[in-house]
Amino acid sequence: MDHLTNRLEPPLQHILACAAALAATVDATLWLVGGVVRDLLLELPIGRDIDLAVEGDVTRLAPLLATTLGGTITARHPAFGTATLAVDHWIIDLAQTRTEYYPQPAVLPVVQPAPLTTDLARRDFSINAMAIRLVADDGRLLPMPLFDPLNGAVDLAARRLRLLHDRSLRDDPTRILRGVRLAARLNLTPEPATAAQIETALTNGYLALLTPERIQTELCLTLSEPDPAAVVALADRWQVTSHIIPGLHWSSALAERLARYRHDEAGIAGLAPAEPVIAGLLLYDLSEDDLQAVRQRYHLPTPFRRLLIELSRLRSLAQSITTTLSPSQLDALLHSYSTATIAVLHYAATTSTASLIARYLREWRPLRPPLTGDDLQAMGVAPGPQLGRLLRDLRAATLDGTVTDRVTAERWVYQQLAAARS
Ligand code: CTP
């Protein structure tokens, strides 16, 4: 087999070679593990997150690597033997090779140092349990063979998802969600024993034992998958969605919304952050009760909370939007909603209203009238309700094209003031 680490970007190869040489000076051995090894075998692009298993003392090694490689330690958990380093744009997770013991289902494990082979066996799936030893000579990584005691490469070639031990999903039910993501992304099929374990874990309600925060982390990862619709389709097929978000089902309408987002013919995807928009497109069909249940169960960050509140009003709003509306009438309906929510409305709408909403987002929403509140005060308008009304009407006049520049705006203001006096 080719030297797999040759496929890594040269600056990363250099960082890993330096790290391996430094580790050797404190009697530690580094192994590239997890998703990176899997993705190297699949010849997929390698992301910024690099997992290293360390046979040795991470507490001692992490500061040494940070200083010598010019990085910073962004997290450390001595009780778990882990540390995270930021070096250039890579996030390097160091974890001492360990065995895990779960005192109860779905809680965090108690860990103890153990050899690499034991560490690989405690992991989720065979395809994530392969390693490559990092050995450096003269600043370069030496070609090392794949270490694959659990036959992950065979499973990967057969596109097979295989759990490594019977208690895996009881110990850590997030692995059900990880399995769905991986299977959807890499087109994997669970082998029979794994499928049976997933079914049992769902029947036993293990997902309900997880804290909302842990589920939320997995949901966020789903939102950043290349094809979230495929993940939801598979989660629905595996009967997982009802445990996480009751009311969420895969449908062709959902797939079409997400496809429209992906193709983004109207060129508006860049106007709002991706994750809330994708979440909105996924949750668009949920009933008011189901949306409220999501709000109550998860402690979502503000953009998502706002989206969920606005989503419940969105279907009736969609019905009020017709192509006969003027820009200012559309603005009156939409201006209080977040850009993400309006983007959701766009991707969920019919073709004719969709282009109107796209035009609103691109052109009309960012439009500012030629005069500000300060300008109006300089023209003699006192601060107060009249000034607020004038500013609002001036925006409407600008949107509809009655006002086009400062001169027409000033004339318009004097006309309004004269009309108010008479
Ligand atoms: N892992 C595990 N059980 C979990 C989470 C992680 O066994 N619940 C192990 C797997 O070996 C996994 C590795 O830790 O490969 C790193 O986890 P993570 O960085 O979350 O995922 P990746 O496998 O790197 O996958 P992705 O491509 O989705 O980032």
Side-chain angles (χ1 to χ4, degrees):
M1 189 178 294
D2 270 0
H3 180 197
L4 283 170
T5 47
N6 256 343
R7 285 204 52 243
L8 297 170
E9 286 176 56
L12 179 60
Q13 288 186 41
H14 180 66
I15 289 170
L16 295 179
C18 293
L22 279 169
T25 66
V26 291
D27 283 334
T29 305
L30 298 186
W31 298 83
L32 193 60
V33 284
V36 175
V37 178
R38 178 198 70 216
D39 291 345
L40 281 174
L41 279 165
L42 289 172
E43 300 191 14
L44 290 174
I46 303 302
R48 294 170 346 125
D49 292 326
I50 309 295
D51 288 312
L52 298 184
V54 182
E55 286 183 304
D57 184 354
V58 167
T59 322
R60 196 163 155 220
L61 182 63
L64 187 65
L65 292 184
T67 315
T68 319
L69 300 175
T72 43
I73 300 181
T74 55
R76 62 169 112 204
H77 301 284
F80 288 96
T82 62
T84 305
L85 297 180
V87 185
D88 293 345
H89 65 281
W90 284 282
I91 314 286
I92 302 181
D93 275 319
L94 302 168
Q96 188 157 5
T97 51
R98 86 266 304 262
T99 176
E100 288 173 345
Y101 158 69
Y102 289 79
Q104 284 169 48
V107 298
L108 293 178
V110 179
V111 307
Q112 261 195 341
L116 178 76
T117 315
T118 313
D119 182 277
L120 294 178
R122 56 101 195 157
R123 289 172 185 259
D124 51 3
F125 302 105
S126 62
I127 57 167
N128 286 341
M130 299 177 273
I132 302 170
R133 185 170 172 174
L134 298 178
V135 184
D137 185 34
D138 205 14
R140 296 168 65 91
L141 285 174
L142 294 181
M144 298 301 284
L146 181 71
F147 185 62
D148 182 19
L150 298 154
N151 299 317
V154 176
D155 285 337
L156 197 56
R159 300 280 161 174
R160 198 159 45 217
L161 189 71
R162 182 164 59 87
L163 283 161
L164 289 176
H165 59 93
D166 290 348
R167 293 169 62 94
S168 188
L169 301 182
R170 180 186 175 278
D171 288 346
D172 182 355
T174 64
R175 288 172 174 171
I176 302 171
L177 307 177
R178 290 174 61 80
V180 178
R181 274 207 325 275
L182 266 181
R185 194 195 314 157
L186 304 177
N187 192 21
L188 309 174
T189 306
E191 51 89 43
T194 296
Q197 265 178 268
I198 294 171
E199 207 180 314
T200 309
L202 291 173
T203 312
N204 289 348
Y206 290 156
L207 280 172
L209 301 176
L210 289 168
T211 60
E213 288 75 16
R214 290 187 71 194
I215 297 184
Q216 219 169 297
T217 305
E218 299 298 323
L219 291 177
C220 285
L221 291 169
T222 299
L223 294 180
S224 24
E225 282 290 321
D227 187 357
V231 181
V232 174
L234 198 61
D236 203 23
R237 186 132 45 90
W238 289 11
Q239 303 188 347
V240 170
T241 46
S242 57
H243 296 262
I244 306 294
I245 300 181
L248 173 62
H249 295 291
W250 185 87
S251 67
S252 51
L254 183 156
E256 277 165 28
R257 287 197 291 272
L258 282 160
R260 280 200 286 273
Y261 173 74
R262 271 225 299 219
H263 297 131
D264 189 32
E265 279 162 17
I268 60 162
L271 300 178
E275 279 84 2
V277 177
I278 298 172
L281 294 171
L282 289 173
L283 303 181
Y284 188 76
D285 292 321
L286 256 63
S287 69
E288 177 55 34
D289 284 353
D290 286 336
L291 284 172
Q292 200 179 344
V294 175
R295 282 205 302 270
Q296 280 167 355
R297 181 164 177 191
Y298 300 110
H299 307 286
L300 299 167
T302 312
F304 289 91
R305 290 200 75 75
R306 180 167 178 199
L307 178 104
L308 285 175
I309 292 167
E310 293 181 342
L311 217 49
S312 55
R313 284 184 272 146
L314 217 54
R315 269 179 301 257
S316 58
L317 180 66
Q319 279 163 9
S320 330
I321 297 178
T322 62
T323 48
T324 55
L325 292 178
S326 69
S328 67
Q329 286 169 326
L330 196 60
D331 188 54
L333 285 175
L334 296 182
H335 78 272
S336 64
Y337 288 86
S338 70
T339 308
T341 302
I342 302 173
V344 171
L345 195 63
H346 161 80
Y347 294 114
T350 59
T351 319
S352 53
T353 48
S355 37
L356 189 72
I357 298 166
R359 190 150 180 222
Y360 172 74
L361 273 178
R362 275 195 321 258
E363 295 173 33
W364 300 330
R365 190 170 163 93
L367 200 73
R368 295 287 165 262
L371 301 176
T372 64
D374 286 347
D375 294 327
L376 293 193
Q377 286 187 51
M379 291 169 75
V381 185
Q386 189 196 18
L387 187 118
R389 238 184 346 264
L390 270 175
L391 276 175
R392 201 189 53 222
D393 293 347
L394 178 62
R395 175 173 165 75
T398 314
L399 283 167
D400 291 339
T402 319
V403 162
T404 50
D405 53 20
R406 261 189 102 85
V407 176
T408 47
E410 282 173 359
R411 196 181 311 136
W412 181 90
V413 172
Y414 287 128
Q415 276 167 1
Q416 301 298 312
L417 293 175
R421 274 195 300 271
S422 60

